[in-house]
Amino acid sequence: VFAVDGVSADDSRADLASLSVRVPAGVAHPLPLAESPVEVGEAILVIGTPLGFELTVSNGIVSSRRTIPNVGAMLQITAPVSHGSSGGPVLNRRGEVVGITTSVIDEGQNLNFATPVEGVRAMKNGPLMSLREWGRRAQDPPAIEMVSPELAAVMRGPAEAAFLSDYAFDRGRAYMENRNFDQAVQMF
């Protein structure tokens, strides 16, 4: 357990934040970010904490690159990802981070998604913000316009509709946990 000095960058659409953490020298070894985008068909490993089981490793491939409305670029991956693994690294065979796990569609098999490393690199570090200040700011984020699942199904197909509804539900639950009920209702 290490002290967090604050938040240096965030991307609410991708559900990512960059933290400044005080880690004694030689204790932790950060994973390198991949220099180039991962290719469809490339083998990957995912490290996560599904249902609290720390450091669980699964393997698979990148099955597609998708652009999800109101979310942005996403990697569709076949490596099994269960609830509780969001935020875990997606690694290539060289041990480089090519993505960050984000979500799953429970109605399908191996329909798992990750934010590509390009999204992580695109976050620009700004002035360090305390967790308390960042939390207050996150209580009132800009509203995300969501398309209803029914309309999404007509416009883009059932898989993307399921992704959008799962994404909205997960965001709604997060808003509820932070007692931001107005935003939770909008997401639900």
Side-chain angles (χ1 to χ4, degrees):
V1 176
F2 303 106
V4 174
D5 291 327
V7 179
S8 58
D10 69 346
D11 179 349
S12 60
R13 282 180 45 164
D15 199 20
L16 293 175
S18 177
L19 306 177
S20 175
V21 180
R22 242 178 288 146
V23 179
V27 172
H29 306 283
L31 296 168
L33 299 180
E35 293 296 325
S36 57
V38 64
E39 298 290 328
V40 172
E42 191 171 332
I44 49 132
L45 293 172
V46 174
I47 302 174
T49 307
L51 303 175
F53 294 101
E54 294 180 349
L55 299 174
T56 298
V57 178
S58 59
N59 69 333
I61 63 166
V62 174
S63 55
S64 183
R65 285 182 158 273
R66 302 206 178 273
T67 301
I68 307 294
N70 302 314
V71 176
M74 297 294 283
L75 300 175
Q76 182 180 335
I77 60 176
T78 64
V81 176
S82 298
H83 295 284
S85 292
S86 294
V90 178
L91 308 170
N92 62 20
R93 287 188 176 179
R94 294 177 296 286
E96 300 167 326
V97 176
V98 296
I100 305 294
T101 55
T102 305
S103 59
V104 302
I105 297 177
D106 289 328
E107 291 78 21
Q109 293 180 349
N110 290 329
L111 291 174
N112 309 301
F113 296 88
T115 300
V117 73
E118 302 91 275
V120 176
R121 287 188 181 286
M123 290 194 317
K124 300 297 179 204
N125 285 332
L128 200 58
M129 192 180 324
S130 73
L131 286 175
R132 178 172 286 160
E133 180 184 358
W134 180 74
R136 276 194 302 262
R137 195 190 80 181
Q139 290 293 322
D140 201 19
I144 298 173
E145 291 183 32
M146 295 299 295
V147 175
S148 72
E150 294 80 15
L151 182 56
V154 172
M155 294 172 53
R156 290 179 289 280
E160 288 187 31
F163 176 86
L164 287 173
S165 64
D166 285 353
Y167 178 82
F169 182 78
D170 287 345
R171 292 300 294 260
R173 222 175 26 199
Y175 284 128
M176 283 205 44
E177 288 171 7
N178 288 314
R179 305 188 63 73
N180 187 341
F181 301 117
D182 291 338
Q183 287 288 336
V185 168
Q186 278 187 334
M187 288 292 119
F188 290 136

